[in-house]
Amino acid sequence: MEITSSELKRCVLVNINGRIDGSSAPEMEQALKALMDSGHYRLVLDIGGVTFLSSAGIRVLVSTWKTVRRFNRGDLRLANVPPRISEVLDLTGLNDHFAQFSSNVEAVGSF
């Protein structure tokens, strides 16, 4: 799994590529926690390159979403969600919790 982030004026854009499974989810959690610890609570996750999302990855998404929304500090938006990942989120009932956008520009502009 590969994670890169770039600070924008309105938020931080995080690009994630590869598989998010039990072995790579802790790495993703550490990267997102480091962003939140440095005061960034408006996050856009570009998951267009994600090929697999396990329950460990879903746990990281949910815990990050809860943390950024605590005390109305920010939000977590998903961009370029692949159809298979969208199906997983739909099956788990999380589609309603994550705002999904078809491009990074739309997701960043939503803040």
Side-chain angles (χ1 to χ4, degrees), residues 81-93:
V81 182
R84 289 185 85 180
I85 305 301
S86 184
E87 287 176 22
V88 169
L89 294 174
D90 190 37
L91 287 173
T92 57

Side-chain angles (χ1 to χ4, degrees), residues 7 10 15 17 25 29 34 57 61 63 70 74-76 93 103 105:
E7 287 186 41
R10 297 179 179 192
N15 292 306
N17 294 307
E29 185 173 29
L61 287 177
S63 67
R70 187 176 298 144
D75 201 4
L76 175 69
S103 73
V105 174

Side-chain angles (χ1 to χ4, degrees), residues 29 31-41 43 63-65 67-68:
E29 185 173 29
L32 295 174
K33 187 173 179 345
L35 286 171
M36 291 182 290
D37 288 345
S38 64
H40 299 289
Y41 296 102
L43 304 176
S63 67
T64 302
W65 178 76
T67 303
V68 297

Side-chain angles (χ1 to χ4, degrees), residues 45-109:
L45 301 184
D46 180 352
I47 58 173
V50 173
T51 57
F52 178 77
L53 180 66
S54 72
S55 59
I58 291 171
R59 182 191 59 78
V60 172
L61 287 177
V62 170
S63 67
T64 302
W65 178 76
K66 285 181 174 182
T67 303
V68 297
R69 290 182 57 101
R70 187 176 298 144
F71 308 121
N72 290 327
R73 291 185 286 197
D75 201 4
L76 175 69
R77 314 275 165 92
L78 302 178
N80 300 319
V81 182
R84 289 185 85 180
I85 305 301
S86 184
E87 287 176 22
V88 169
L89 294 174
D90 190 37
L91 287 173
T92 57
L94 295 172
N95 257 348
D96 297 335
H97 295 293
F98 297 113
Q100 298 181 27
F101 298 89
S102 59
S103 73
N104 292 341
V105 174
E106 290 177 11
V108 170

